[in-house]
Coordinates of all heavy atoms in Angstrom, one line a residue:
M1 N 47.3 -4.3 6.1 CA 46.6 -5.2 6.9 C 45.2 -4.9 7.0 O 44.8 -3.7 7.4 CB 47.3 -5.3 8.2 CG 46.9 -6.3 9.2 SD 47.7 -6.3 10.8 CE 48.7 -7.8 10.6
A2 N 44.3 -5.7 6.6 CA 42.9 -5.5 6.7 C 42.4 -5.6 8.1 O 43.1 -6.1 9.0 CB 42.1 -6.4 5.8
E3 N 41.1 -5.2 8.3 CA 40.6 -5.3 9.7 C 40.5 -6.7 10.1 O 40.2 -7.6 9.4 CB 39.1 -4.7 9.6 CG 38.5 -4.6 11.0 CD 37.2 -4.0 11.0 OE1 36.9 -3.1 10.1 OE2 36.4 -4.2 11.9
M4 N 41.0 -6.9 11.4 CA 41.1 -8.3 11.9 C 39.8 -8.8 12.4 O 39.0 -8.0 13.0 CB 42.1 -8.3 12.9 CG 43.4 -7.8 12.5 SD 44.6 -7.9 13.8 CE 45.8 -9.0 13.1
K5 N 39.5 -10.1 12.2 CA 38.3 -10.7 12.8 C 38.6 -11.2 14.2 O 39.7 -11.6 14.5 CB 37.9 -11.8 11.8 CG 37.6 -11.4 10.4 CD 36.4 -10.5 10.4 CE 36.1 -10.1 8.9 NZ 35.2 -9.0 8.8
I6 N 37.6 -11.2 15.0 CA 37.7 -11.7 16.4 C 38.3 -13.1 16.4 O 39.1 -13.5 17.2 CB 36.5 -11.5 17.2 CG1 36.2 -10.0 17.3 CG2 36.6 -12.2 18.5 CD1 34.9 -9.7 17.9
A7 N 37.7 -14.0 15.5 CA 38.2 -15.4 15.6 C 39.6 -15.6 15.2 O 40.3 -16.4 15.8 CB 37.3 -16.2 14.6
D8 N 40.1 -14.7 14.3 CA 41.5 -14.7 14.0 C 42.4 -14.4 15.1 O 43.4 -14.9 15.4 CB 41.8 -13.8 12.7 CG 41.1 -14.3 11.5 OD1 40.7 -15.5 11.4 OD2 40.9 -13.4 10.7
I9 N 42.0 -13.3 15.8 CA 42.7 -12.8 17.0 C 42.8 -13.9 18.1 O 43.8 -14.1 18.7 CB 42.1 -11.5 17.5 CG1 42.3 -10.5 16.4 CG2 42.9 -11.1 18.7 CD1 41.6 -9.2 16.7
R10 N 41.6 -14.5 18.4 CA 41.5 -15.5 19.5 C 42.4 -16.7 19.1 O 42.9 -17.4 20.0 CB 40.1 -16.0 19.7 CG 39.2 -14.9 20.3 CD 37.9 -15.5 20.7 NE 36.9 -14.5 21.0 CZ 36.9 -13.8 22.3 NH1 37.7 -14.2 23.1 NH2 35.9 -12.9 22.4
A11 N 42.7 -17.0 17.9 CA 43.5 -18.1 17.5 C 45.0 -17.8 17.6 O 45.8 -18.7 17.6 CB 43.2 -18.5 16.0
M12 N 45.3 -16.5 17.8 CA 46.8 -16.2 17.9 C 47.3 -16.5 19.2 O 46.6 -16.6 20.3 CB 46.9 -14.6 17.8 CG 46.7 -14.1 16.4 SD 46.9 -12.3 16.5 CE 46.6 -11.8 14.9
S13 N 48.6 -16.8 19.3 CA 49.3 -17.0 20.6 C 49.6 -15.6 21.2 O 49.6 -14.6 20.5 CB 50.6 -17.7 20.4 OG 51.5 -16.8 19.6
P14 N 49.9 -15.6 22.5 CA 50.1 -14.2 23.1 C 51.4 -13.5 22.5 O 51.3 -12.3 22.3 CB 50.5 -14.6 24.6 CG 49.7 -15.9 24.8 CD 49.8 -16.6 23.5
D15 N 52.4 -14.2 22.0 CA 53.5 -13.6 21.4 C 53.1 -13.0 20.1 O 53.6 -11.9 19.7 CB 54.7 -14.6 21.2 CG 55.3 -15.0 22.6 OD1 55.2 -14.2 23.5 OD2 55.9 -16.1 22.6
R16 N 52.3 -13.7 19.3 CA 51.8 -13.2 18.0 C 51.0 -12.0 18.2 O 51.0 -11.1 17.4 CB 51.1 -14.4 17.3 CG 50.9 -14.1 15.8 CD 50.8 -15.3 15.0 NE 50.4 -14.9 13.7 CZ 49.2 -15.3 13.2 NH1 48.4 -16.0 13.8 NH2 48.9 -14.9 12.0
M17 N 50.1 -12.0 19.2 CA 49.3 -10.8 19.5 C 50.2 -9.6 19.8 O 49.9 -8.5 19.3 CB 48.4 -11.0 20.7 CG 47.2 -11.9 20.5 SD 46.2 -12.0 21.9 CE 45.3 -13.4 21.6
D18 N 51.3 -9.8 20.6 CA 52.2 -8.7 20.8 C 52.8 -8.1 19.5 O 53.0 -6.9 19.4 CB 53.3 -9.1 21.9 CG 52.8 -9.4 23.2 OD1 51.7 -8.9 23.6 OD2 53.4 -10.1 24.0
D19 N 53.2 -9.1 18.7 CA 53.8 -8.7 17.4 C 52.8 -7.9 16.5 O 53.1 -6.9 15.9 CB 54.3 -9.9 16.6 CG 55.5 -10.6 17.2 OD1 56.1 -9.9 18.1 OD2 55.8 -11.7 16.9
A20 N 51.5 -8.4 16.5 CA 50.5 -7.7 15.8 C 50.3 -6.3 16.3 O 50.1 -5.3 15.5 CB 49.2 -8.5 15.8
I21 N 50.3 -6.1 17.6 CA 50.1 -4.8 18.2 C 51.2 -3.9 17.8 O 51.1 -2.7 17.4 CB 50.0 -4.9 19.7 CG1 48.6 -5.5 20.1 CG2 50.1 -3.5 20.3 CD1 48.5 -5.8 21.6
V22 N 52.5 -4.4 17.9 CA 53.7 -3.6 17.5 C 53.5 -3.1 16.0 O 53.8 -2.0 15.7 CB 55.0 -4.3 17.7 CG1 56.1 -3.7 17.1 CG2 55.2 -4.5 19.2
N23 N 53.2 -4.1 15.1 CA 53.0 -3.8 13.7 C 51.9 -2.8 13.5 O 52.1 -1.8 12.7 CB 52.8 -5.0 12.9 CG 54.0 -5.9 12.8 OD1 55.1 -5.5 13.0 ND2 53.8 -7.2 12.7
L24 N 50.8 -2.9 14.1 CA 49.7 -1.9 13.9 C 50.1 -0.5 14.5 O 49.7 0.5 13.9 CB 48.4 -2.4 14.7 CG 47.7 -3.6 14.0 CD1 46.7 -4.2 14.9 CD2 47.0 -3.0 12.7
K25 N 50.9 -0.5 15.6 CA 51.3 0.8 16.1 C 52.2 1.5 15.1 O 52.2 2.7 14.9 CB 51.9 0.7 17.5 CG 50.9 0.4 18.6 CD 51.6 0.4 19.9 CE 50.6 0.3 21.0 NZ 51.2 0.2 22.3
K26 N 53.1 0.7 14.4 CA 54.0 1.3 13.5 C 53.2 1.8 12.3 O 53.5 2.8 11.7 CB 55.0 0.2 13.0 CG 56.1 -0.1 14.0 CD 57.0 -1.1 13.4 CE 58.1 -1.6 14.5 NZ 58.9 -2.6 14.0
E27 N 52.3 1.0 11.8 CA 51.4 1.4 10.8 C 50.6 2.6 11.0 O 50.6 3.6 10.3 CB 50.4 0.3 10.4 CG 49.5 0.6 9.2 CD 48.4 -0.4 8.9 OE1 48.4 -1.4 9.6 OE2 47.6 -0.2 8.0
R28 N 50.1 2.8 12.3 CA 49.4 4.0 12.7 C 50.2 5.1 12.7 O 49.9 6.3 12.3 CB 48.8 3.7 14.0 CG 47.8 4.7 14.5 CD 47.0 4.2 15.7 NE 46.4 5.4 16.3 CZ 46.7 6.0 17.5 NH1 47.6 5.3 18.2 NH2 46.1 7.0 17.9
F29 N 51.5 5.0 13.2 CA 52.4 6.1 13.2 C 52.7 6.6 11.7 O 52.7 7.8 11.5 CB 53.8 5.6 13.8 CG 54.9 6.6 13.8 CD1 54.9 7.6 14.9 CD2 55.9 6.6 12.9 CE1 55.9 8.6 14.9 CE2 56.9 7.5 13.0 CZ 56.9 8.5 14.0
N30 N 52.8 5.7 10.8 CA 53.1 6.0 9.5 C 51.9 6.7 8.8 O 52.0 7.7 8.0 CB 53.5 4.8 8.6 CG 54.9 4.3 9.0 OD1 55.8 5.1 9.3 ND2 55.2 3.1 8.8
L31 N 50.7 6.2 9.2 CA 49.5 6.8 8.6 C 49.3 8.2 9.1 O 48.8 9.1 8.4 CB 48.3 5.9 9.0 CG 48.1 4.6 8.3 CD1 47.1 3.7 9.0 CD2 47.9 4.8 6.8
R32 N 49.7 8.4 10.4 CA 49.5 9.8 10.9 C 50.5 10.8 10.1 O 50.1 11.9 9.8 CB 49.8 9.9 12.4 CG 48.8 9.3 13.2 CD 48.9 9.7 14.7 NE 50.3 9.7 15.2 CZ 50.8 8.8 16.1 NH1 50.1 7.8 16.5 NH2 52.0 9.0 16.5
F33 N 51.6 10.3 9.8 CA 52.6 11.2 9.1 C 52.0 11.4 7.6 O 52.1 12.5 7.1 CB 54.0 10.6 9.0 CG 54.8 11.1 10.1 CD1 54.9 10.4 11.3 CD2 55.5 12.3 10.0 CE1 55.7 10.9 12.3 CE2 56.3 12.8 11.1 CZ 56.4 12.0 12.2
Q34 N 51.5 10.4 7.1 CA 50.9 10.5 5.7 C 49.8 11.5 5.7 O 49.6 12.4 4.8 CB 50.4 9.2 5.2 CG 51.5 8.3 4.8 CD 51.0 6.9 4.3 OE1 49.8 6.8 4.0 NE2 51.8 5.9 4.3
R35 N 48.9 11.5 6.8 CA 47.9 12.4 6.9 C 48.3 13.9 7.0 O 47.9 14.8 6.4 CB 46.9 12.1 8.1 CG 45.7 13.0 8.2 CD 44.8 12.6 9.3 NE 45.5 12.8 10.6 CZ 45.0 12.4 11.8 NH1 43.8 11.9 11.8 NH2 45.8 12.5 12.9
A36 N 49.4 14.1 7.9 CA 50.0 15.4 8.1 C 50.5 16.0 6.9 O 50.5 17.2 6.7 CB 50.9 15.3 9.3
T37 N 51.1 15.1 5.9 CA 51.7 15.6 4.8 C 50.8 15.7 3.6 O 51.2 16.0 2.5 CB 53.0 14.9 4.4 OG1 52.6 13.5 4.2 CG2 54.0 14.9 5.5
G38 N 49.5 15.2 3.8 CA 48.6 15.3 2.7 C 48.6 14.1 1.8 O 48.1 14.2 0.7
Q39 N 49.4 13.0 2.1 CA 49.5 11.9 1.2 C 48.6 10.7 1.5 O 48.5 9.8 0.8 CB 51.0 11.3 1.3 CG 52.0 12.3 0.9 CD 53.4 11.8 1.2 OE1 53.6 10.8 1.9 NE2 54.4 12.5 0.7
L40 N 47.8 10.8 2.6 CA 46.9 9.7 3.0 C 45.7 9.7 2.2 O 44.9 10.7 2.1 CB 46.6 9.8 4.5 CG 45.8 8.7 5.1 CD1 46.5 7.4 5.0 CD2 45.5 9.0 6.5
E41 N 45.5 8.6 1.5 CA 44.2 8.4 0.6 C 43.1 7.8 1.4 O 41.9 8.2 1.3 CB 44.6 7.7 -0.6 CG 45.5 8.3 -1.5 CD 45.9 7.5 -2.8 OE1 45.2 6.5 -3.0 OE2 46.8 7.9 -3.5
N42 N 43.4 6.8 2.2 CA 42.3 6.0 2.9 C 42.3 6.5 4.3 O 43.0 5.9 5.2 CB 42.6 4.5 2.8 CG 41.5 3.7 3.4 OD1 40.5 4.2 3.8 ND2 41.7 2.4 3.5
T43 N 41.6 7.5 4.7 CA 41.6 8.1 6.0 C 40.9 7.1 7.0 O 41.2 7.2 8.2 CB 40.9 9.4 6.1 OG1 39.6 9.3 5.5 CG2 41.7 10.5 5.3
A44 N 40.1 6.2 6.5 CA 39.4 5.4 7.4 C 40.4 4.3 8.0 O 40.1 3.7 9.0 CB 38.3 4.6 6.6
R45 N 41.5 4.1 7.4 CA 42.5 3.1 7.9 C 43.0 3.5 9.2 O 43.3 2.6 10.0 CB 43.6 2.9 6.8 CG 44.6 1.8 7.2 CD 43.9 0.5 7.3 NE 44.8 -0.5 8.0 CZ 44.4 -1.3 8.9 NH1 43.2 -1.3 9.3 NH2 45.3 -2.1 9.5
L46 N 43.1 4.7 9.5 CA 43.6 5.2 10.9 C 42.6 4.7 11.9 O 43.1 4.1 12.9 CB 43.6 6.7 10.9 CG 44.9 7.4 10.5 CD1 44.7 8.8 10.3 CD2 46.0 7.1 11.5
R47 N 41.4 4.8 11.7 CA 40.4 4.4 12.6 C 40.4 2.8 12.8 O 40.3 2.3 13.9 CB 39.0 4.8 12.2 CG 37.9 4.5 13.1 CD 36.6 5.0 12.5 NE 35.5 4.8 13.4 CZ 34.2 5.1 13.1 NH1 33.9 5.7 12.0 NH2 33.3 4.8 13.9
E48 N 40.6 2.1 11.7 CA 40.6 0.7 11.7 C 41.8 0.2 12.5 O 41.7 -0.7 13.2 CB 40.7 0.1 10.3 CG 39.4 0.3 9.5 CD 39.5 -0.1 8.0 OE1 40.6 -0.7 7.6 OE2 38.6 0.1 7.3
A49 N 42.9 0.8 12.2 CA 44.2 0.4 12.9 C 44.0 0.6 14.4 O 44.4 -0.2 15.3 CB 45.4 1.2 12.4
R50 N 43.5 1.7 14.8 CA 43.2 2.0 16.3 C 42.3 1.0 16.9 O 42.6 0.5 18.0 CB 42.7 3.5 16.4 CG 42.6 3.9 17.8 CD 42.1 5.3 17.9 NE 40.7 5.4 17.6 CZ 40.2 6.2 16.6 NH1 41.0 6.9 15.9 NH2 38.9 6.2 16.4
R51 N 41.3 0.7 16.2 CA 40.3 -0.3 16.7 C 40.9 -1.7 16.7 O 40.5 -2.5 17.6 CB 39.0 -0.2 15.9 CG 38.3 1.1 16.2 CD 37.0 1.1 15.5 NE 36.3 2.3 16.0 CZ 35.0 2.6 15.7 NH1 34.2 1.7 15.0 NH2 34.4 3.7 16.1
D52 N 41.7 -2.1 15.8 CA 42.3 -3.4 15.8 C 43.2 -3.5 17.0 O 43.3 -4.6 17.6 CB 43.1 -3.6 14.5 CG 42.2 -4.0 13.3 OD1 41.1 -4.3 13.5 OD2 42.7 -3.9 12.1
I53 N 44.0 -2.5 17.3 CA 44.9 -2.5 18.5 C 44.0 -2.7 19.7 O 44.4 -3.6 20.6 CB 45.6 -1.2 18.6 CG1 46.7 -1.1 17.4 CG2 46.4 -1.1 20.0 CD1 47.4 0.3 17.3
A54 N 42.9 -2.0 19.9 CA 42.1 -2.1 21.0 C 41.5 -3.5 21.1 O 41.4 -4.1 22.2 CB 41.0 -1.1 21.0
R55 N 41.1 -4.0 20.0 CA 40.5 -5.4 19.9 C 41.5 -6.4 20.3 O 41.2 -7.3 21.2 CB 40.0 -5.6 18.4 CG 39.1 -6.8 18.3 CD 38.6 -6.9 16.8 NE 37.7 -5.9 16.6 CZ 37.8 -5.0 15.5 NH1 38.8 -5.0 14.7 NH2 36.9 -4.0 15.4
I56 N 42.7 -6.4 19.9 CA 43.7 -7.3 20.3 C 44.0 -7.2 21.8 O 44.1 -8.2 22.5 CB 45.0 -7.2 19.5 CG1 44.7 -7.5 18.0 CG2 46.1 -8.0 20.0 CD1 45.9 -7.1 17.0
K57 N 44.1 -6.0 22.3 CA 44.4 -5.8 23.7 C 43.3 -6.4 24.6 O 43.5 -6.9 25.6 CB 44.7 -4.3 24.0 CG 46.0 -3.8 23.6 CD 46.2 -2.4 24.0 CE 47.6 -1.9 23.7 NZ 47.8 -0.5 24.2
T58 N 42.1 -6.1 24.1 CA 40.9 -6.6 24.9 C 40.9 -8.1 24.9 O 40.7 -8.7 26.1 CB 39.6 -6.1 24.3 OG1 39.6 -4.6 24.3 CG2 38.4 -6.6 25.0
I59 N 41.1 -8.7 23.9 CA 41.1 -10.3 23.8 C 42.3 -10.8 24.6 O 42.1 -11.8 25.4 CB 41.1 -10.8 22.4 CG1 39.8 -10.4 21.7 CG2 41.3 -12.3 22.3 CD1 39.7 -10.6 20.2
A60 N 43.4 -10.1 24.5 CA 44.6 -10.6 25.3 C 44.3 -10.5 26.8 O 44.7 -11.4 27.6 CB 45.8 -9.8 24.9
A61 N 43.7 -9.4 27.2 CA 43.3 -9.3 28.7 C 42.3 -10.3 29.1 O 42.4 -10.8 30.2 CB 42.8 -7.8 28.9
Q62 N 41.4 -10.6 28.2 CA 40.4 -11.7 28.6 C 41.1 -13.0 28.7 O 40.8 -13.8 29.7 CB 39.3 -11.7 27.5 CG 38.3 -10.6 27.5 CD 37.5 -10.6 26.2 OE1 37.6 -11.4 25.3 NE2 36.4 -9.8 26.2
Q63 N 42.0 -13.3 27.9 CA 42.6 -14.6 27.9 C 43.6 -14.7 29.1 O 43.7 -15.7 29.8 CB 43.5 -14.8 26.6 CG 42.6 -15.1 25.5 CD 43.4 -15.4 24.2 OE1 44.6 -15.1 24.1 NE2 42.7 -15.8 23.1
R64 N 44.2 -13.6 29.6 CA 45.0 -13.5 30.7 C 44.2 -13.7 32.0 O 44.5 -14.5 32.9 CB 45.8 -12.3 30.8 CG 47.1 -12.2 30.0 CD 47.9 -11.1 30.4 NE 47.3 -9.8 30.4 CZ 47.2 -9.0 29.3 NH1 47.8 -9.4 28.2 NH2 46.6 -7.8 29.3
A65 N 43.0 -13.1 32.0 CA 42.1 -13.2 33.1 C 41.6 -14.6 33.2 O 41.3 -15.2 34.3 CB 41.0 -12.2 33.0
K66 N 41.3 -15.3 32.1 CA 40.9 -16.7 32.1 C 41.8 -17.7 32.7 O 41.5 -18.6 33.3 CB 40.4 -17.0 30.7 CG 39.6 -18.3 30.6 CD 39.3 -18.7 29.2 CE 38.4 -17.7 28.5 NZ 38.0 -18.2 27.1
T67 N 43.1 -17.4 32.4 CA 44.2 -18.4 32.8 C 44.5 -18.2 34.3 O 45.1 -19.1 34.8 CB 45.5 -18.2 32.0 OG1 45.9 -16.9 32.1 CG2 45.2 -18.5 30.5
K68 N 44.1 -17.1 34.9 CA 44.5 -16.9 36.3 C 43.5 -17.6 37.2 O 42.4 -17.8 37.0 CB 44.6 -15.4 36.6 CG 45.9 -14.8 36.0 CD 46.0 -13.4 36.4 CE 47.3 -12.8 35.9 NZ 47.5 -11.5 36.2

């Protein structure tokens, strides 16, 4: 999964955002194991996954605050 764009995230439904976060967390878990075993080639992907998770959580919080 490539780095997500803000416009793409804003177009997601809340359920789809939750699914994306779960998938990114699974990917990050697998990337950490690959790094530990020396199999990880693209080390920058760890950083991208972490930032994508934060980006989705931030936009979700903004949307929840807007609806209240």
